[in-house]
Coordinates of all heavy atoms in Angstrom, one line a residue:
G52 N 29.4 -22.6 19.0 CA 29.6 -22.5 17.6 C 29.8 -21.1 17.1 O 29.7 -20.8 15.9
V74 N 68.1 7.1 -0.8 CA 69.0 7.9 -1.5 C 69.3 9.1 -0.5 O 68.5 9.8 -0.1 CB 68.3 8.5 -2.8 CG1 69.3 9.4 -3.5 CG2 68.0 7.3 -3.7
E85 N 88.5 34.3 -0.3 CA 89.7 34.9 0.2 C 89.3 36.1 1.1 O 88.5 36.9 0.7 CB 90.6 35.4 -0.9 CG 91.1 34.2 -1.8 CD 92.0 34.8 -2.9 OE1 92.5 35.9 -2.8 OE2 92.2 34.0 -3.8

Side-chain angles (χ1 to χ4, degrees):
V74 178
E85 294 180 17

